[in-house]
Each structure stands twice: as C-alpha cells, then as structure tokens.
Amino acid sequence: MNIGMLLDNEFTADPRVSNEAMMLAREHQVHIICLNYGKQKPFEKHGNLFIHRIFIPQKVKKIIFLIQFYLPAFQWFWYFNSKKIIRKYNIQAIHAHDLYMALPALMLKKAFQIPIILDLHENYPAALEAYTWAHKLPARLIFKASSWRKTEFNLLSKVDAIIVLSNAFRQHLNELYPKLSSEKILVYPNVPVLKDFEGYPVYNGQYEFMKQGFWMVYFGVIGRRRGIFKIMDALSRLNNNDIRLLMVGPVDKHDKEDFYEKLNTFTGSGQVVYYPWKDISELPSMLYYARLALSPIVKNPQHESGIANKVFQYMLVGRAILVSDCKPQVELIEDCSCGVVYKDADEADLTEKIDWCYRHPEELKVMGERGRRAVLEKYNSDNQFENIMAFYKKIEDDGQ
C-alpha cells in the first residue's frame, strides 16, 4: 500500500513523525510530503521511505499559514503540490499531521476519494491559547484559538481516523464531541522505537561531575510553560547544595530573559548545569549518574493531551521520574509505579516531593527498574503501533 504523509515542516528531528514513518515503512511505501526551506534535497529515497520536499521560503510559509482562514493560499499550496505526488505514486491513503493539515487533506480526499488519517500531536486550540506567539500581533487578531475550536468538530467528523497521544485525550474528545465516533479514535503515545534508542552508548564519560550529589535531569525545550522555572524555584527553597539540576535544551525565545535571570542566581554554586543543546544519543550518558528525571510541564488543556517522548526515554534508561499532575502522566505513574507525582499548582508540594526523592534513593531505584520494564514490555512502538497498522491493513483489504 502507498501512504502519503503530509507534514507542515521539514522532515528533520520530530521523533513522532520519524517513528511512525519507520513503522509504516516496514509493510508499506511511505511518501513523506514535507517542506524545504532551501537547504535540503528535493527528493530522497531510503528503502520504503520516499521524502518529497516542496520548496517555500520560510517567511512566505508563515504568512500563508497565518491568513488561512481569510485567504486559503495555505490549503491550495498543499493541494496542488500533493496531488502531483498522489497521482504519480498512486497514493491510497493520506496520513496528515496536526489539526490544521486536515484542511488540505480533506480537499485531497474529495478529489481522489482516498481515506484521511489525522494525527493530532496536541490539543491544538488549547495549544494556541498557551503559545506566546499566538498572543502577539498580528497573530492574535487573525489566528485565534476560538476559530479552531469552532471548526475542530467539523474537521474531525470528516476524516476517517484520528490518532491521539493518550487515552485521556481520547476521552476528552469523546466528552467534548459526543457525536464523534469513538471507534475511529486510535491511541499512539510518544513511545520510542526500542532498537533505535537501545543503540545509544550507555556512557560516554562526559558527565563524571555527576558522581557527586543528587542530580535531577531535564531534557527538552526550556520555558515557563514547561515547568522548569518551578523546579529552579523549588531548588532555591530547599537550600540543599547536594540536590542539583542538569538542564539540556533550547530556551523559548519569549522566556530567555527570565530564564537567564533565574540561572544566574545559581552562578558559582555548582548546583545547576545548563547545556543549550546535546544530541538525544547522549541522554543515557546524562542519566547514568542521575537519580531522578523530570517532566514538570504546567497543567493545562494542551499538556493534558499526552506525554512527552522524553518521559518514556527516561523510563527506558531506568530512571525514576518526577512529573506534574497532568492526567496522562498521572495515569502512567499509576500504571507502572515508576515515579512520583506532585501538584502543579502547589509549590510546597513540589518542594516536598523533591526532598522525599532525595531521602529515598532505594525507592527511586526500584521505580526506575519498573519503568524500564514497562517500556520494554508495553510502552514501545512495536506494541503501541499495532492498532495503527491494523487500521491501515483494513484500508488495504477494503480497497482490494
């Protein structure tokens, strides 16, 4: 079967997109139709994976994206560029990433009579309410969360299947839209492909400084909505120099000033180490001496949609996790007994939970072992992607 995958970005580092493409390519031809801002090859082929890159200046793309409710240049751009590939390679289904890609995907469905699978990476209307850029001019006037909320059900009802990040978000959609068929909502969490992640070196020798002290690790984008500021505040309140923090990741540009102001309060203490970037292959090395891994995302409707891929990666390395009480994270901890939950709105509770973890290293070790076992046995792509593969098999069988 030939599957077209619509991706409104360059095909680079998004692990969810890469994992799904690789899983589908085990049994099907996968044609990724994505963007090229001028630095990549127009076309590449790797086994069953075909990458078709459409050139567009990044500034132009941003403009047509923002005005799509008023002038549908964005939808027509994708429609005209995709239909050539659909015809040439006899694409039999479209797998579109993110809610807004349903608009051009449904145009293609009408033109070619092919099924549409819509992959929701997040609760998009809620995400717009949280994104700083969406509250700045001109975006706040022309690209409103309220507009997407009004059209969301219409889009979801017209696609053939919806992929979501968690059972919690599936339940949310069922409650929000009772007329939406629950049978067409499939769950695929941000779980790792075992053979890829397990190939990373266990330790590369760069983190010897972590032998001393109780180290917590945060890996990912850094910003206020990611909750890492609350961790730094808790560290200050604890006033225990033995409890330390390693942070790795780029800082949200809108939060840079606040971040560096907080970081500077730890200058000279050796209590906080920050790297703007490290390759994901170094994560096992960062966690080698670490006692605790962090996912402190702020509790809001956007973050209630799923669990970040880093959480399952932490677990696979065998580290206990400290998480905020976003519903999908709570459900994971309850299912696996692999970490500790704190109340996001309660600063005192966060401080107490970090202190508890510091005082109970043996319990953390057991939690880490449970988490690793859970990923090896359950929370991995081979296991969690089975329902997606079964859906594509049904499409294939129905088309014969």
Side-chain angles (χ1 to χ4, degrees):
M1 182 178 181
N2 299 334
I3 300 167
M5 187 172 277
L6 297 188
L7 176 65
D8 179 43
N9 213 324
E10 291 187 323
F11 181 61
T12 50
D14 187 323
R16 181 175 181 81
V17 177
S18 300
N19 288 355
E20 288 181 299
M22 286 189 293
M23 295 299 294
L24 289 170
R26 291 180 179 181
E27 297 184 13
H28 308 284
Q29 274 194 14
V30 180
H31 295 262
I32 298 175
I33 307 169
C34 60
L35 299 182
N36 183 0
Y37 298 134
K39 295 183 179 180
Q40 297 183 322
K41 296 177 182 178
F43 176 78
E44 286 184 75
K45 180 180 181 298
H46 305 281
N48 272 345
L49 194 63
F50 299 72
I51 307 172
H52 309 267
R53 296 187 175 95
I54 306 165
F55 173 74
I56 186 172
Q58 197 164 8
K59 288 184 179 179
V60 174
K61 183 260 178 176
K62 287 181 179 179
I63 292 171
I64 65 172
F65 179 77
L66 283 175
I67 65 172
Q68 61 183 280
F69 275 116
Y70 303 91
L71 183 67
F74 177 81
Q75 293 93 308
W76 285 106
F77 167 83
W78 280 104
Y79 174 77
F80 282 117
N81 283 285
S82 300
K83 71 175 186 177
K84 302 171 188 176
I85 298 168
I86 291 172
R87 286 191 181 122
K88 182 176 180 179
Y89 293 95
N90 188 29
I91 301 298
Q92 297 155 286
I94 293 290
H95 187 124
H97 289 275
D98 287 312
L99 180 65
Y100 50 85
M101 291 303 285
L103 292 165
L106 288 169
M107 292 172 67
L108 294 168
K109 174 184 173 73
K110 184 177 181 180
F112 293 96
Q113 299 300 304
I114 54 178
I116 301 297
I117 295 86
L118 183 61
D119 200 325
L120 300 181
H121 290 217
E122 58 192 347
N123 180 337
Y124 192 66
L128 286 178
E129 291 173 350
Y131 289 154
T132 305
W133 66 263
H135 293 275
K136 293 181 176 292
L137 291 173
R140 73 182 187 190
L141 297 177
I142 60 177
F143 201 78
K144 301 175 183 178
S146 58
S147 299
W148 285 102
R149 287 207 179 280
K150 289 176 183 177
T151 194
E152 184 176 48
F153 173 71
N154 182 48
L155 296 175
L156 297 182
S157 63
K158 290 179 179 178
V159 301
D160 297 272
I162 304 160
I163 303 175
V164 297
L165 297 173
S166 66
N167 286 314
F169 191 48
R170 180 184 184 184
Q171 182 180 351
H172 165 77
L173 289 178
N174 287 149
E175 292 172 355
L176 189 62
Y177 306 121
K179 293 183 179 180
L180 192 65
S181 171
S182 60
E183 293 183 0
K184 74 175 186 179
I185 305 177
L186 310 174
V187 177
Y188 175 61
N190 283 322
V191 291
V193 176
L194 291 178
K195 67 179 182 64
D196 294 335
F197 198 86
E198 290 279 77
Y200 297 150
V202 175
Y203 189 63
N204 62 15
Q206 294 184 30
Y207 303 92
E208 290 290 311
F209 64 87
M210 295 175 69
K211 279 185 175 181
Q212 304 300 320
F214 178 93
W215 283 91
M216 305 182 293
V217 171
Y218 174 85
F219 186 88
V221 176
I222 292 171
R224 188 172 300 280
R225 65 190 180 89
R226 307 281 179 160
I228 193 63
F229 288 13
K230 293 183 179 182
I231 298 291
M232 298 169 77
D233 290 341
L235 207 56
S236 296
R237 288 193 298 271
L238 282 163
N239 195 28
N240 182 343
N241 287 336
D242 201 40
I243 302 178
R244 302 172 187 179
L245 173 63
L246 172 66
M247 297 180 290
V248 180
V251 183
D252 266 341
K253 64 179 181 179
H254 304 288
D255 294 325
K256 281 188 176 181
E257 185 176 342
D258 289 346
F259 171 72
Y260 283 106
E261 184 178 329
K262 287 184 180 292
L263 185 62
N264 288 339
T265 65
F266 295 97
T267 300
S269 69
Q271 207 174 354
V272 176
V273 173
Y274 168 61
Y275 297 117
W277 184 84
K278 292 284 185 180
D279 189 80
I280 182 63
S281 62
E282 290 199 28
L283 185 57
S285 297
M286 293 173 210
L287 292 169
Y288 188 80
Y289 290 117
R291 304 293 185 86
L292 192 63
L294 306 173
S295 179
I297 53 176
V298 172
K299 184 178 173 68
N300 60 36
Q302 176 202 5
H303 290 152
E304 298 268 47
S305 63
I307 300 170
N309 51 43
K310 64 172 171 275
V311 173
F312 297 107
Q313 293 163 351
Y314 294 156
M315 292 167 63
L316 185 54
V317 177
R319 292 298 170 266
I321 50 179
L322 176 68
V323 303
S324 60
D325 58 342
C326 290
K327 189 174 180 180
Q329 295 193 142
V330 174
E331 290 178 349
L332 180 68
I333 297 298
E334 290 176 348
D335 183 43
C336 305
S337 300
C338 60
V340 177
V341 178
Y342 69 89
K343 298 174 184 176
D344 174 62
D346 189 338
E347 294 179 357
D349 187 52
L350 170 58
T351 305
E352 290 171 8
K353 293 295 170 58
I354 293 176
D355 185 58
W356 184 92
C357 291
Y358 173 71
R359 291 183 289 103
H360 293 83
E362 290 305 314
E363 285 88 338
L364 295 189
K365 184 178 178 181
V366 173
M367 289 176 184
E369 291 169 352
R370 290 193 194 114
R372 175 169 169 77
R373 187 163 59 249
V375 176
L376 290 174
E377 296 176 357
K378 179 178 180 181
Y379 290 105
N380 59 75
S381 284
D382 284 334
N383 184 292
Q384 297 291 321
F385 205 69
E386 286 182 354
N387 60 337
I388 313 298
M389 295 297 285
F391 183 81
Y392 275 104
K393 181 68 166 59
K394 182 177 183 301
I395 293 175
E396 190 174 30
D397 291 344
D398 289 346
Q400 291 177 353

